[in-house]
Amino acid sequence: MAMSVGGDSAEKPMSDINTTPLVDVMLVLLIIFLIAVPVAIQTVKGIKLPSVRFDPTVTKPENVSLSVNSAGDGGCQVFWGVTPVTHQELLDRAVAKLKTEIDRQGGVGNPDLELPEAHIRADVNTPWRCVAGTIYNMQMAGFAKVGFISQPTVAG
């Protein structure tokens, strides 16, 4: 490194450090870490579902409450309210419910039309194929909003 000798009368060397290269190196390192850290964090070792934050569910009378459970023979049990239904009965009831609700509100031309929602309560040990089949049936019937009802975690 060379020292700059100033032109003032005392003829003493200038001792200021040029910080521009230091700042450049630090910015490059910052960018490298911003790119490398998210890649290193994304691992699939132990997948844990996110914690559920308690948001009170606004249940309207026109909403459909479904419960899904695993049957003893490896099949699926679906309940419309408290009545057990097959997958075909679920589809038929959902289509009829949606048609009745649309007619009650004045038809599809009504700009203030509020379609009912489907709320699904599924047992923790229920296979995903049972829940997915229920969601599929409700979407095939025309339900645009299908949500899950969960048990909130105990605080503390």
Side-chain angles (χ1 to χ4, degrees):
M1 295 179 80
M3 291 178 52
S4 174
V5 178
D8 41 353
S9 61
E11 295 287 331
K12 59 181 176 177
M14 189 169 92
S15 63
D16 295 336
I17 297 175
N18 187 3
T19 58
T20 304
L22 176 67
V23 171
D24 289 344
V25 169
M26 295 307 282
L27 286 175
V28 168
L29 287 174
L30 178 66
I31 291 170
I32 289 172
F33 284 123
L34 285 176
I35 293 172
V37 168
V39 173
I41 290 176
Q42 294 177 358
T43 59
V44 187
K45 289 181 182 173
I47 297 175
K48 183 180 176 189
L49 294 176
S51 300
V52 178
R53 185 174 52 99
F54 178 68
D55 289 334
T57 304
V58 179
T59 303
K60 301 174 194 168
E62 62 267 12
N63 290 346
V64 176
S65 177
L66 301 172
S67 298
V68 182
N69 198 358
S70 174
D73 60 354
C76 305
Q77 291 180 326
V78 180
F79 295 88
W80 182 290
V82 293
T83 307
V85 292
T86 64
H87 286 291
Q88 185 59 45
E89 290 172 342
L90 174 65
L91 183 61
D92 295 341
R93 283 183 109 175
V95 169
K97 171 73 174 178
L98 200 57
K99 183 176 180 342
T100 303
E101 191 58 36
I102 290 172
D103 290 343
R104 186 185 70 79
Q105 293 186 25
V108 290
N110 182 5
D112 298 327
L113 182 67
E114 289 188 29
L115 295 177
E117 301 173 7
H119 296 167
I120 298 176
R121 289 176 174 86
D123 186 62
V124 175
N125 298 319
T126 302
W128 176 245
R129 62 183 171 77
C130 297
V131 178
T134 305
I135 294 170
Y136 178 76
N137 278 341
M138 295 308 286
Q139 287 179 338
M140 288 299 294
F143 279 77
K145 293 184 179 179
V146 179
F148 293 102
I149 305 295
S150 61
Q151 183 68 33
T153 57
V154 179

